[in-house]
Amino acid sequence: NTFYNTNYVLNVVGGKEFAMGRHGQNTFGLKLRGLFRGGFRYTPVSMEESVKKNKLVYDISKTYENRLPAFRRIDFGLSYRLNKQKLAWTFMADIQNVMNIENILKRRFYLLNQQVATRDTKSFGMIPVFTVKIEKKIIP
């Protein structure tokens, strides 16, 4: 095993655009994306040896044997494209991590009061992203 052996990864992506406006020149879009994968692996610490030596001692006989919890994330997005004669305006709203899950990305070990403690680095929760894009049309 290695750090990146998560055993499985599943990406699901889908979307749909709808024609809007008097002549169907504008578009309204929906998108949905899901990411599901096993957790990254890590090497556990030998608790007894670490306390005895007063420093972290990793159990190399179990290198990358333990795994963090599975990573899950779902993103949702809306867009509207307004096509004019010389310009095209695109308005987008994306909500990343709709379910507001704080996935564990990394686990660190440290010594605290003669005990081995852990500290997990977590991902951000829900993140809204708003974008406006203006494109100039080049007409020959």
Side-chain angles (χ1 to χ4, degrees):
N1 286 321
T2 68
F3 175 79
Y4 296 104
N5 180 11
T6 62
N7 285 6
Y8 64 91
V9 175
L10 174 65
N11 287 302
V12 178
V13 180
K16 177 72 176 160
E17 287 188 342
F18 303 93
M20 308 273 299
R22 257 187 270 153
H23 305 290
Q25 76 277 16
N26 303 327
T27 56
F28 174 74
L30 297 167
K31 71 176 179 179
L32 189 65
R33 182 178 82 177
L35 167 62
F36 308 96
R37 70 164 164 74
F40 288 130
R41 294 184 176 267
Y42 66 94
T43 302
V45 170
S46 172
M47 303 293 184
E48 296 113 21
E49 288 293 315
S50 295
V51 170
K52 190 187 304 181
K53 294 183 178 181
N54 199 28
K55 70 176 188 175
L56 289 179
V57 177
Y58 289 91
D59 187 351
I60 59 171
S61 67
K62 297 179 181 177
T63 300
Y64 295 123
E65 194 172 289
N66 293 10
R67 198 166 59 188
L68 296 173
F71 185 97
R72 303 177 327 249
R73 178 175 146 172
I74 296 176
D75 301 339
F76 175 74
L78 299 170
S79 66
Y80 187 75
R81 183 175 173 98
L82 183 62
N83 287 306
K84 295 292 184 184
Q85 191 170 5
K86 294 183 181 181
L87 293 174
W89 296 70
T90 305
F91 303 92
M92 293 178 278
D94 288 325
I95 300 175
Q96 298 176 1
N97 195 2
V98 172
M99 296 170 51
N100 201 26
I101 297 171
E102 292 182 354
N103 294 293
I104 298 175
L105 302 174
K106 188 182 284 187
R107 177 160 291 158
R108 294 189 184 256
F109 298 94
Y110 61 98
L111 287 174
L112 179 67
N113 299 327
Q114 295 295 318
Q115 295 291 322
V116 176
T118 61
R119 179 178 296 139
D120 293 336
T121 302
K122 294 183 178 182
S123 65
F124 291 112
M126 188 182 319
I127 302 172
V129 179
F130 301 100
T131 309
V132 176
K133 182 168 69 170
I134 304 169
E135 298 173 278
K136 183 177 180 181
K137 294 181 181 179
I138 300 174
I139 302 169

